[in-house]
Amino acid sequence: MSALDARIAFLTEACKLRSVERASKLADGSRHENSGEHSWHLALFALVLADEAPEGVSIDRVIRMALIHDLVEIDAGDAPIFEAGLDQGAIEAAEAAAAERIFGMLPPAQGAELRALWDEFEEARTPDARFAKALDRFQPPVLNLANGGASWVPYGVDYAKVEARLKPPMERGAPSLWAWIGPRIRAFFGATAD
C-alpha cells in the first residue's frame, strides 16, 4: 500500500465520525449533533476565540487537536459527560485502542505525529492542550444555552453538576471563557450566588 493509499483509507475511515451521535443537540435543538460536526465546530471555536487563549498558545496546533480529538469515537463511541455510572477506565482503554488502530492506518511518521497530538490533548499538560480542552468543555454549554438545555434535561443536570465538570478545565485553559459562561449557566438554572 502506498502512502497515498494509506492516507485515503484513513480519510475514508474518518468519515465514519459523522455517524457517531453525541448527547449534545444543535443550537436550534432540532437534532443531536454528530462527532464530525462537533470536531468542525470546535476547530471553528478555536479559530474565532483565539484571542481568549493564554499567551504563547499555538492556535494552529489547537485547531489540529480539535479536528482529531474525537476520531477515537469511531470505535469507542461518545461518552456523554453527564451520564452517570460510566466506567472511565474502560472508556480510556477503548479510546487508546481506537487511537492505535485509527492513527495506525496512516504512514508511520504521520500516524505517530497525529497520535502524539491526540495524546497531548488527552493529557492536557501543555498550554495548547489545556486551551483545546477548555474549548471542548465550552462548546456544548454554548449549544445548551441556545437550545434551552436540550441535552441537560435528559441527564438531570443542574448548575452544581455543570460547574463541577466544566469549570475546572475552562479555568485551567481559558479562564475568560468560564467567566463569560458561568454566570449565564447559573442564570439558566436559576442558581443563587454562593
Side-chain angles (χ1 to χ4, degrees), residues 38-164:
H38 167 71
S39 295
W40 162 80
H41 206 204
L42 192 60
L44 190 60
F45 268 57
L47 179 66
V48 172
L49 299 176
D51 288 350
E52 303 302 322
E55 188 174 334
V57 166
S58 168
I59 293 303
D60 289 343
R61 290 188 84 247
V62 172
I63 290 170
R64 292 178 62 183
M65 286 179 195
L67 290 172
I68 67 164
H69 82 288
D70 275 344
L71 282 174
V72 297
E73 291 183 3
I74 292 168
D75 292 352
D78 177 51
I81 192 169
F82 294 110
E83 188 169 319
L86 293 177
D87 181 343
Q88 198 60 39
I91 292 168
E92 290 172 8
E95 290 181 349
E100 189 69 24
R101 183 189 75 78
I102 294 165
F103 296 121
M105 295 177 72
L106 288 163
Q110 189 174 31
E113 177 187 347
L114 292 184
R115 171 63 192 265
L117 196 63
W118 180 81
D119 287 333
E120 181 181 341
F121 174 85
E122 288 299 307
E123 293 166 3
R125 292 186 183 150
T126 65
D128 294 349
R130 287 191 294 270
F131 185 63
K133 280 278 192 184
L135 291 172
D136 192 38
R137 294 297 183 255
F138 184 69
Q139 186 259 3
V142 167
L143 296 181
N144 269 292
L145 290 174
N147 64 32
S151 61
W152 284 333
V153 173
Y155 294 98
V157 174
D158 59 17
Y159 176 76
K161 288 179 185 175
V162 173
E163 181 182 45

Side-chain angles (χ1 to χ4, degrees), residues 8-17 74-75 101-102 105:
I8 298 303
F10 169 85
L11 291 169
T12 302
E13 184 73 5
C15 186
K16 293 179 181 177
L17 196 60
I74 292 168
D75 292 352
R101 183 189 75 78
I102 294 165
M105 295 177 72

